[in-house]
């Protein structure tokens, strides 16, 4: 975008000059190893010579010889992508290489942002007259203070030893600046307005998609990109109509809006976890639950973990191995592309339009392209072939997907995960689905052939669905008499049973892995003072901002506990006493640190859902709702604490005042939970005549997209762990008791790789073998299906391995923008389809082979058991093909 003409008033010019540091961000980012104070000294000298406060770091030869008109012509030439722009790109690249090698860049290198004006809504202005003199005096005072601070930092550096001035994580080193401008606007009204809008929008959209068969999670990247243009528009309106001195929309405001967006998407999880409790209570157990108790449940489960997050700031916020949020800073760099390339904005809107148009195909016209299980079509009468080939109910051999929503469902965007984490998940997925499960299924382990190959349901021994209504009382507890009389022991598919085994192993593997690899670091930080040992440049820069006092966290924790205890005691149908709440909080507190370290280094998070279900199931069997409440407070409190600290890590890299981060996170989390619940409450009564999620109801429409896969898994878990209890399912005399050995296997698994690394420390690939990620990554199945993993791994390999390795500049410029654009297109088209064809006119639907008439991927026989004695109790077509 061309800069505005210089006819704007002097206040507007002064505003741009006061924000010169932000405009130089792209150039400084290209030479991150450069001495910041030296660059500022050049700025002071040049302002004294030519009065150009905005271009303080401009080369002296240009500043002396180029006048105002020549500078304007040079900017126009840059905008046209002429020879000067190409030379600038080369200089920036040279500066980046110099910084990576630890040497000073040559004159002119790494100064892209200093030679370019604001673009895409950032205005250019020049200071003159009295305004210039006042601005120079203020700038010189600020710079003098900063120089004094830097002198002190250098003295400390000489006493304590050399510091590392960059993160060891390459993605961070490529994209995160090593300087700060405290004068940039940060916690403003623009943040609250735009942040609240994007938070509520994401919470609504993600909750809407959560109930669908392919649960799309719209991650915050799309909102971060859109909010950039919203912020610039709001800033322009403010300057034009209300306050001529208003500062431009800054990168710090943008980051805080990104925190709002993170909370709106439940930190990438889609929605508030407790919504599944509300769903099974209303849709499966038919509890008469009011909106206000449901709101308190959702809010307290989301916020409780924030109370103890402050205890782990030293370990998880200031750890040098975390990954910062580079997108916001990247978007605020100069967006002048090389010849033949698009600006990020043009690229974003182009891909969004393409994604929008294409999603009409898998979303409505030809849904089967979401999972092309062609093996089933070649052998339409073979149960075994369809078990092998179905991407939804089988192993997915040969299955492909052309649907971004399927690729990013459950595991979030594959473009956001580091390649080594993707590779670990791929290895775990292949070993689990293509080695372990087939051996156990066709070996008839746990009577596997009596039940479907891949299912999250609960069954009777005959293969029929489990009759929950026959063994539950009116107050939602197990009817012990009926259970004993009818001998109604539940059974699950071998796939589901092994998935529980993986959960057992992942928990112990996480503890052992962290103890082996990070134990010395944890001990060192525990025994050290509050100051960082050899802090990197980001930690040193953040020392200028006041920290969040510990008592803020304490008050938040105590208030939440008081509210929780009050409403749980007043609403007995939640089946969770006050001491159960405290026990769940203690479990969550204990696991926050080890799991937080795994999450910070891999972007994958082991969960506590299984261990919390097991503990409460042994303590209070026969209470399904109490079990899921205990699980949610124990599991999600830890997850939210880690997510809270991850956002603090983002603020740490982007130099956001911690107290502003704290306020935004608490407010946005409460707002998102309210919108999640309101959306779910509306859908309960609106979709499928109130039958949403009730897939076993005889009136539930065939091939309806509103199957609520996560809620159904949640319901099955409440039966297994809560209603029946782990003693009957996994105890010494239980049918599935051998799964308890997985606890031991998980504890032993990390040891060989750690020992090999100690013997051969130069074999760096051993540090990338991450057993908890291998085990946890597969833990999303069910409700995730093989086609979700196949598409996710494939896209992750293409972009985060091949393109990141061989086209790193393209990856840096477009990778996150591409992810956001694909999400945005899917989101807008899915809403258009819903409101245009499924709410206003429910009869408008397509029934043909491409819409998945027999099943979602036209592999109906994949659900058939292969034991002839069980076939007659499942799908009517199954007995015809018995033994095939």
């Amino acid at each position: 975008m061309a800069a505005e003409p210089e006819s704007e008033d002097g206040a507007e010019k002064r505003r741009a000059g006061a924000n010169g540091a932000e405009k130089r961000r792209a150039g400084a980012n290209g030479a991150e190893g450069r001495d910041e104070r030296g660059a500022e000294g050049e700025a002071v000298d040049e302002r004294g010579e030519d009065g150009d406060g905005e271009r303080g770091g401009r080369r002296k030869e240009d500043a002396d010889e180029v006048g105002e008109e020549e500078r304007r012509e040079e900017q126009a030439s840059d905008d046209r992508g002429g020879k000067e722009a190409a030379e600038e790109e080369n200089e920036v690249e040279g500066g980046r290489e110099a910084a990576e090698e630890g040497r000073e860049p040559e004159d002119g290198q790494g100064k892209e942002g200093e030679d370019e004006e604001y673009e895409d809504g950032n205005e250019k202005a020049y200071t003159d007259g009295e305004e210039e003199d006042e601005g120079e005096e203020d700038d010189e005072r600020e710079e003098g203070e900063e120089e004094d601070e830097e002198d002190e930092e250098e003295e400390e550096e000489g006493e304590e030893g050399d510091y590392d001035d960059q993160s060891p994580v390459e993605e961070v080193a490529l994209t995160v600046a090593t300087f700060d401008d405290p004068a940039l606007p940060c916690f403003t009204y623009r943040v609250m307005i735009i942040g609240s809008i994007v938070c509520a929008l994401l919470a609504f959209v993600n909750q809407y998609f959560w109930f669908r068969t392919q649960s799309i999670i719209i991650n915050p990247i799309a909102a971060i990109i859109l909010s950039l243009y919203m912020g610039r528009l709001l800033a322009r309106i403010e300057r034009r109509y209300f306050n001529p001195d208003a500062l431009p929309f800054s990168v710090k405001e943008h980051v805080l809006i990104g925190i709002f967006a993170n909370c709106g998407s439940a930190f990438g999880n889609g929605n508030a976890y407790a919504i599944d409790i509300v769903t099974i209570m209303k849709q499966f157990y038919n509890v008469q639950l009011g909106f206000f108790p449901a709101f308190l449940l959702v809010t307290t489960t989301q916020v409780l973990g924030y109370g103890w997050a402050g205890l782990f700031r030293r370990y998880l916020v200031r750890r040098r191995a975390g990954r910062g949020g580079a997108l916001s800073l990247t978007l605020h760099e100069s967006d002048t592309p090389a010849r033949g390339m698009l600006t990020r904005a043009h690229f974003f809107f182009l891909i969004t339009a393409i994604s929008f148009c294409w999603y009409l195909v898998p979303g409505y016209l030809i849904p089967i392209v979401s999972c092309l299980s062609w093996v089933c079509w070649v052998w339409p009468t073979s149960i075994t072939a369809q078990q092998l080939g179905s991407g939804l109910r089988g192993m997915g051999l040969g299955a492909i997907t052309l649907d971004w929503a399927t690729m990013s469902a459950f595991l979030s965007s594959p473009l956001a995960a580091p390649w080594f984490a993707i590779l670990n998940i791929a290895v775990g997925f292949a070993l689990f689905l293509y080695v372990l499960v087939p051996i156990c299924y066709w070996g008839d382990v746990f009577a596997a052939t009596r039940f479907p190959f891949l299912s999250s349901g609960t069954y009777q021994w005959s293969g029929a669905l489990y009759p929950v209504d026959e063994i539950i009382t009116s107050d939602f507890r197990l009817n012990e008499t009926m259970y004993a009389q009818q001998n109604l022991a539940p059974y699950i598919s071998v796939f589901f049973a092994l998935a529980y085994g993986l959960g057992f192993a992942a928990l112990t593997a996480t503890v052992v892995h962290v103890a082996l690899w990070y134990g010395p670091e944890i001990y060192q930080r525990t025994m050290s003072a509050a100051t960082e040992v050899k802090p990197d440049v980001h930690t040193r820069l953040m020392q200028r901002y006041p920290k969040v006092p510990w008592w803020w966290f304490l008050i938040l924790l105590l208030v939440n506990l008081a509210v929780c205890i009050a409403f749980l005691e007043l609403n007995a149908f939640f089946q969770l006493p006050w001491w159960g709440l405290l026990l769940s909080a203690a479990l969550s507190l204990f696991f926050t640190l080890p799991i937080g370290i795994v999450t910070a280094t891999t972007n994958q998070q082991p969960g506590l859902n299984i261990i919390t279900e097991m503990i409460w199931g042994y303590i209070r069997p026969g209470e399904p709702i109490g079990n899921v409440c205990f699980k949610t407070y124990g599991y999600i409190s830890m997850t939210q604490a880690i997510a809270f600290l991850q956002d603090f890590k983002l603020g740490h890299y982007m130099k956001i005042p911690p107290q502003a981060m704290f306020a935004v996170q608490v407010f946005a989390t409460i707002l998102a939970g309210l919108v999640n619940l309101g959306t779910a409450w509306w859908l309960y009564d609106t979709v499928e005549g109130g039958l949403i999620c009730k897939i076993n109801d005889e009136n539930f429409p065939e091939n309806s997209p509103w199957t609520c896969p996560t809620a159904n898994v949640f319901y099955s878990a409440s039966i297994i762990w809560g209603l029946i209890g782990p003693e009957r399912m996994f105890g010494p005399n239980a049918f599935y008791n051998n799964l308890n050995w997985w606890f031991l296997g998980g504890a032993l698994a990390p040891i060989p790789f750690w020992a090999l690394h100690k013997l051969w420390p130069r074999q760096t690939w051993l540090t990338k073998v991450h057993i908890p990620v291998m085990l946890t990554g597969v833990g999303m199945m069910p409700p995730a299906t093989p086609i979700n993993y196949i598409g996710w791994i494939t896209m992750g390999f293409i972009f985060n391995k091949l393109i990141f390795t061989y086209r790193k500049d393209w990856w840096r410029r477009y990778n996150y923008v591409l992810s956001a654009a694909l999400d945005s297109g899917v989101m807008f088209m899915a809403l258009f389809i819903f409101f245009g064809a499924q709410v206003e006119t429910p009869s408008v639907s397509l029934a043909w082979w491409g819409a998945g008439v027999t099943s979602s991927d036209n592999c109906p026989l994949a659900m058939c058991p292969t034991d002839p004695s069980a076939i007659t109790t499942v799908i009517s077509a199954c007995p015809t093909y018995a033994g095939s």
Side-chain angles (χ1 to χ4, degrees):
M1 179 184 297
E4 291 189 3
E6 205 174 5
S7 57
E8 296 290 325
D9 56 43
E12 191 168 335
K13 298 174 184 177
R14 183 175 69 253
R15 179 175 56 255
N19 283 275
E22 182 181 4
K23 297 154 73 172
R24 296 193 300 272
R25 188 176 304 279
N29 210 26
E32 290 172 343
R34 182 174 71 192
D35 183 0
E36 181 183 3
R37 188 183 58 183
E40 291 175 350
E42 285 185 1
V44 174
D45 294 340
E46 290 164 22
R47 276 196 300 270
E49 292 184 27
D50 61 12
D52 190 352
E54 179 179 1
R55 303 181 179 222
R58 188 175 180 86
R59 295 188 301 270
K60 285 182 176 292
E61 61 267 28
D62 291 338
D64 294 333
E65 297 174 4
V66 181
E68 182 177 302
E69 291 297 325
E70 291 175 323
R71 284 195 295 266
R72 191 172 302 156
E73 291 173 1
E74 178 186 309
Q75 178 61 41
S77 176
D78 287 346
D79 292 341
R80 290 192 299 269
K83 177 178 178 181
E84 292 85 355
E87 291 174 352
E88 293 284 346
E89 290 289 332
N90 292 335
E91 291 174 351
V92 171
E93 194 64 44
R96 185 182 293 115
E97 293 173 358
E100 292 174 351
E101 295 172 4
R103 59 182 171 85
E104 285 290 315
E106 297 177 2
D107 187 26
Q109 291 181 343
K111 300 187 179 182
E112 176 190 16
E114 300 167 10
D115 294 322
E116 295 177 355
E117 300 298 334
Y118 270 130
E119 294 182 17
D120 295 328
N122 287 310
E123 292 140 7
K124 97 177 170 182
Y126 304 96
T127 57
D128 56 2
E130 297 178 355
E131 296 172 345
E132 173 188 333
D133 295 336
E134 294 172 359
E136 288 178 6
E137 291 174 1
D138 293 337
D139 288 342
E140 290 173 357
R141 281 197 299 271
E142 293 175 1
E143 288 163 359
E145 293 172 359
E146 291 175 3
E147 289 177 5
D148 292 338
E149 293 174 359
E150 288 170 359
D151 287 337
E152 294 174 3
E153 290 175 358
E154 289 177 358
E155 292 173 4
E156 294 173 0
E157 181 175 299
E159 296 172 359
E160 298 177 6
D162 294 332
Y163 291 122
D164 292 331
D165 270 355
Q166 188 50 274
S167 170
V169 180
E170 186 175 10
E171 292 92 330
V172 176
L174 281 171
T175 52
V176 178
T178 55
F179 59 91
D180 179 32
D181 181 6
L184 290 177
C186 185
F187 194 19
T188 65
Y189 83 95
R190 294 186 296 227
V191 169
M192 296 304 297
I193 293 176
I194 300 174
S196 298
I197 292 173
V198 299
C199 177
L201 179 63
L202 281 175
F204 168 78
V205 171
N206 280 314
Q207 185 58 64
Y208 160 80
F209 282 124
W210 192 252
F211 291 123
R212 296 175 67 87
T213 301
Q214 294 297 343
S215 301
I216 311 166
I217 297 177
I218 305 299
N219 64 45
I221 296 177
I224 290 172
I225 292 178
L226 291 174
S227 65
L228 173 66
Y229 303 103
M230 295 171 65
R232 288 175 173 173
L233 176 63
L234 194 59
R236 192 171 288 128
I237 291 173
E238 180 186 9
R239 289 195 300 270
R240 189 176 298 271
Y241 298 106
F242 300 103
N243 181 14
D245 294 328
L247 295 175
F249 184 67
S250 75
V251 65
K252 294 193 176 185
E253 292 175 291
H254 199 191
V255 170
L256 281 178
I257 292 172
I259 302 305
F260 267 101
N262 258 345
C263 295
S265 67
F267 302 100
N269 294 313
N271 69 343
Y273 193 78
I275 295 295
D276 283 334
I277 300 180
V278 177
T279 300
I280 68 170
M281 290 177 71
K282 288 183 64 67
Q283 299 301 106
F284 295 95
Y285 290 112
N286 299 314
V287 177
Q288 298 301 312
L289 178 64
F291 185 88
F292 186 65
F295 171 69
L296 291 179
L297 176 71
V298 171
T299 301
T300 53
T301 54
Q302 292 295 100
V303 179
L304 180 62
Y306 292 177
W308 60 73
L311 295 175
F312 302 104
R313 283 179 292 176
R314 182 189 309 175
Y315 306 97
L316 298 178
V317 173
R318 287 177 283 171
R319 288 194 77 251
R320 297 172 64 248
R323 281 173 165 76
L327 178 61
S328 295
L329 185 56
T330 300
L331 292 174
H332 283 259
E333 293 176 357
S334 176
D335 197 15
T336 302
R339 185 182 299 275
M341 298 184 71
L342 297 173
T343 66
R344 295 185 191 92
H346 291 161
F347 182 82
F348 173 77
F349 289 113
L350 174 63
I351 299 300
T352 297
I354 294 173
S355 176
F356 175 83
C357 296
W358 171 249
Y359 189 66
L360 182 64
V361 176
Y364 187 70
L365 298 177
I366 317 176
I368 201 171
V369 302
S370 294
C371 183
L372 295 168
S373 304
W374 59 269
V375 173
C376 301
W377 316 336
V378 177
W379 290 279
T381 61
S382 172
I383 296 175
T384 302
Q386 296 202 17
Q387 288 175 332
L388 292 173
S390 175
L392 296 177
R393 297 297 183 185
M395 295 171 61
L397 293 176
I400 60 175
T401 178
L402 302 178
D403 179 15
W404 171 254
T406 299
M407 298 174 192
S408 59
F410 301 106
L411 293 168
S412 193
S413 172
L415 277 61
W419 166 241
F420 88 92
I422 295 173
L423 181 59
N424 276 275
I425 291 175
V427 171
F429 170 74
L431 292 176
F432 177 72
L433 189 63
Y434 299 134
V435 178
L436 183 61
V437 173
I439 290 174
C440 292
Y441 184 83
W442 280 288
D444 206 25
V445 176
F446 298 135
T449 56
R450 300 187 64 84
F451 312 108
F453 183 88
L454 193 159
S455 172
S456 61
T458 51
Y459 301 90
Q460 302 177 64
W461 178 255
S462 65
L465 292 172
Y466 194 74
V468 176
D469 293 341
E470 297 181 13
I471 60 170
I472 193 169
T473 64
S474 59
D475 60 347
F476 313 107
R477 288 175 167 81
L478 177 66
N479 188 327
E480 301 276 0
T481 304
M482 291 296 296
Y483 180 84
Q485 288 178 354
Q486 300 189 31
N487 191 25
L488 289 176
Y491 298 89
I492 56 180
S493 69
V494 70
F495 178 91
F496 201 11
L498 293 174
Y500 275 127
L502 284 178
F504 298 164
L507 183 70
T508 53
T510 299
V511 175
V512 173
H513 178 90
V514 171
L516 293 174
W517 291 94
Y518 302 104
E521 178 186 349
I522 294 173
Y523 176 79
Q524 180 186 40
R525 290 177 183 273
T526 302
M527 302 305 294
S528 67
T531 55
E532 187 75 27
V533 177
K534 289 189 177 180
D536 62 14
V537 64
H538 308 290
T539 301
R540 302 203 308 274
L541 289 171
M542 284 299 292
Q543 292 172 355
R544 70 179 65 183
Y545 298 111
K547 295 181 175 62
V548 179
W550 65 268
W551 57 267
W552 286 22
F553 293 99
L554 179 62
I555 290 177
L556 187 63
L557 176 62
L558 294 178
V559 170
N560 266 278
L561 286 175
V563 172
C564 289
I565 291 172
F567 88 84
L568 288 174
E569 292 294 326
L570 292 174
N571 296 277
F573 49 72
F574 286 119
Q575 300 176 342
L576 185 63
W578 64 268
W579 55 268
L581 172 69
L582 297 181
L583 177 60
S584 65
L587 282 170
S588 180
L589 177 63
F590 175 79
F591 282 101
T592 296
L593 179 58
I595 293 180
I597 291 176
V598 172
T599 305
T601 54
T602 68
N603 204 33
Q604 299 296 319
Q605 185 179 111
L608 294 181
N609 49 330
I610 293 176
I611 190 64
T612 50
E613 290 170 323
M614 175 177 283
I615 290 173
W616 195 247
Y618 276 114
I619 295 174
R620 296 284 287 264
E623 298 181 352
I625 298 174
N627 190 277
V628 294
C629 287
F630 182 88
K631 170 178 70 173
T632 302
Y633 278 110
Y635 169 33
I636 292 303
S637 296
M638 176 209 70
T639 300
Q640 290 294 103
I642 294 173
F644 186 92
L645 294 170
Q646 282 181 306
D647 273 355
F648 258 71
K649 185 70 174 180
L650 170 64
H652 179 80
Y653 278 131
M654 306 303 288
K655 322 303 180 295
I656 308 298
Q659 294 183 3
M661 294 283 296
F662 181 92
V664 164
Q665 284 174 285
V666 173
F667 173 78
T669 301
I670 296 173
L671 174 62
L674 177 61
V675 175
N676 282 154
L677 182 62
T679 305
W681 213 268
W682 166 62
L683 292 174
Y684 294 147
D685 298 325
T686 303
V687 176
E688 307 295 10
L691 295 177
I692 185 173
C693 306
K694 298 182 179 182
I695 59 175
N696 296 323
D697 192 291
E698 61 182 11
N699 297 317
F700 188 77
E702 187 177 0
N703 291 328
S704 169
W706 300 96
T707 58
C708 311
T710 305
N712 274 279
V713 172
F714 211 81
Y715 176 59
S716 295
S718 72
I719 297 172
I720 294 168
W721 299 101
L723 188 63
I724 306 303
E727 179 66 28
R728 295 186 177 95
M729 289 292 296
F730 305 102
N733 300 316
F735 190 71
Y736 298 101
N737 71 307
N738 285 333
L739 289 175
N740 291 304
W741 288 103
W742 286 68
F743 284 110
L744 177 61
L748 297 176
I751 297 176
F753 299 99
W754 175 80
L756 290 173
H757 177 67
K758 290 298 182 182
L759 291 174
W760 294 286
R762 293 186 179 182
Q763 299 298 319
T764 57
W765 66 271
L766 289 169
T767 65
K768 302 297 184 181
V769 178
H770 214 291
I771 299 298
V773 175
M774 286 187 189
L775 298 173
T776 304
V778 189
M780 286 303 297
M781 292 194 302
T785 57
I787 193 63
N788 300 124
Y789 279 80
I790 292 168
W792 187 83
I793 292 168
T794 302
M795 290 293 285
F797 172 72
I798 292 172
F799 285 93
N800 284 353
K801 176 57 178 177
L802 296 181
I803 294 180
F804 180 79
T805 301
Y806 299 107
R807 294 290 184 271
K808 193 164 293 184
D809 288 340
W810 190 99
W811 183 93
R812 180 179 183 271
R813 185 176 187 85
Y814 294 125
N815 183 69
Y816 296 120
V817 180
L818 173 63
S819 177
L822 291 170
D823 279 347
S824 299
V826 168
M827 174 183 67
F828 292 128
M829 176 53 75
L831 293 176
F832 176 78
I833 293 171
F834 175 71
F835 288 106
Q838 295 176 351
V839 170
E840 300 298 335
T841 53
S843 61
V844 179
S845 61
L846 301 177
W848 68 294
W849 181 87
V853 174
T854 57
S855 70
S856 297
D857 60 348
N858 284 333
C859 298
L861 302 185
M863 282 293 290
C864 296
T866 53
D867 187 328
S869 65
I871 282 177
T872 57
T873 64
V874 196
I875 301 173
S876 59
C878 292
T880 305
Y881 310 107
S884 60

